[in-house]
């Protein structure tokens, strides 16, 4: 699981931005869930679970902006 998190952390910015497309934003929800489980971060796990549905509507835009500015998704630390 940590391998998946490391892979997304080390991915190029253009690929991270592609994963922010509305239907692909589920990848960032899975990333948050896996990171929450792998690093025993309960808050990140809960945010990941809650990100699945809202991610399709407005979460993708939040991820897009945060990755464009900070190079990582918000609420995933």
């Amino acid at each position: 699981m940590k391998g998946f998190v490391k892979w997304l952390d080390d991915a190029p910015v253009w690929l991270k931005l592609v994963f922010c497309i509305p239907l692909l934003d589920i990848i960032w929800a899975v990333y948050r869930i896996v990171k929450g489980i792998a690093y025993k971060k309960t808050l990140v796990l809960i945010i990941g679970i809650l990100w699945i549905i809202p991610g399709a509507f407005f979460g993708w835009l939040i991820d897009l902006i945060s990755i464009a500015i900070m190079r990582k998704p918000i609420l995933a630390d």
Side-chain angles (χ1 to χ4, degrees), residues 4-70:
F4 175 71
V5 172
K6 183 171 175 12
W7 176 74
L8 269 175
D9 285 340
D10 295 340
V13 177
W14 67 266
L15 183 59
K16 291 179 182 181
L17 291 173
V18 168
F19 288 155
C20 291
I21 295 172
L23 293 177
L24 292 178
D25 195 59
I26 190 79
I27 293 171
W28 291 116
V30 171
Y31 167 81
R32 287 176 176 95
I33 293 169
V34 169
K35 190 170 185 176
I37 293 170
Y39 293 102
K40 295 180 174 54
K41 295 182 176 186
T42 308
L43 183 61
V44 175
L45 175 62
I46 292 169
I47 290 170
I49 293 168
L50 294 174
W51 203 266
I52 293 173
I53 300 300
F57 298 106
F58 65 87
W60 67 273
L61 186 59
I62 295 169
D63 282 341
L64 182 72
I65 293 168
S66 67
I67 290 173
I69 293 172
M70 300 182 316

